[in-house]
Amino acid sequence: MTSAPEARRPRLDQGAVLQAAENVVDREGYDALTMTLLAAELDTRVSSLYNHVANLEDLRALVQVRAMRLLGEHVRRAAMGHSGADGLRVLSHELRAFARSHPQRYAAITRPPIDPEAFFAAAADTIEALAVMVRSAGLPEERLLPTGMAVFAALHGFVSLEVAGYFGGVEDDLDAVYEMVIRGAVTAAVLEATHG
């Protein structure tokens, strides 16, 4: 009596490795990602992973870049047909939705980029969508970067606390609180930039 042949494992490529890495990050957290954990996820040897990524730092950089690109795709779709303060509100809601759907990948993109050139190339959609909204609100070009940073800092403060569970049992009020944060951040940034 012969045993049934073992199911063949799918051939590894970089896409499969990165998808598995994202699964690990989503489940365990960005800081928990190791080559050993990833090899276990793929049911392969650690040495096999080095055919697809250079090392753990390279792997984490690629996860950051892919997460930033994914956020950019979401933001670009959400931004269509909007401008000015309304557009900034739409982008703010999309940022929150992304962070709630992918909290660990959101955490990855809010860390210092490991590969800044690739990261900021991946961020092009997000940066451009924000710049379009800020420009259409009447801000001069030299105020785009500081205004975008100010808006993001305010929103990130709320979003990172929310996904960390800081607000506990007050979920019913969080939408209203986030609206207040958006209103404050967008209004203050736009007023500062246009009248400051």
Side-chain angles (χ1 to χ4, degrees), residues 75-151:
V75 164
R76 186 180 65 240
R77 280 194 304 268
M80 289 181 185
H82 298 277
S83 63
D86 171 60
L88 287 170
R89 284 187 176 88
V90 168
L91 295 186
S92 299
H93 283 290
E94 193 56 40
L95 175 73
R96 183 185 184 205
F98 179 85
R100 291 169 84 176
S101 296
H102 307 286
Q104 299 301 334
R105 287 190 239 178
Y106 177 76
I109 64 174
T110 58
R111 303 286 179 82
I114 296 168
D115 181 348
E117 186 176 341
F119 183 82
F120 289 113
D125 282 341
T126 303
I127 293 167
E128 183 53 28
L130 180 60
V132 165
M133 300 310 162
V134 172
R135 279 189 201 102
S136 63
L139 277 70
E141 197 70 26
E142 67 272 11
R143 297 298 302 165
L144 293 180
L145 181 60
T147 301
M149 290 171 64
V151 170

Side-chain angles (χ1 to χ4, degrees), residues 9 18-19 35 51 54 65 73 76 85 97 102 127 134-135 149 152 157 160 165 167 169 177 192:
R9 281 184 288 203
L18 293 176
Q19 179 63 60
M35 298 300 269
N51 294 319
V65 166
E73 290 167 8
R76 186 180 65 240
H102 307 286
I127 293 167
V134 172
R135 279 189 201 102
M149 290 171 64
F152 176 72
S160 59
F167 296 119
V177 172
E192 168 69 19

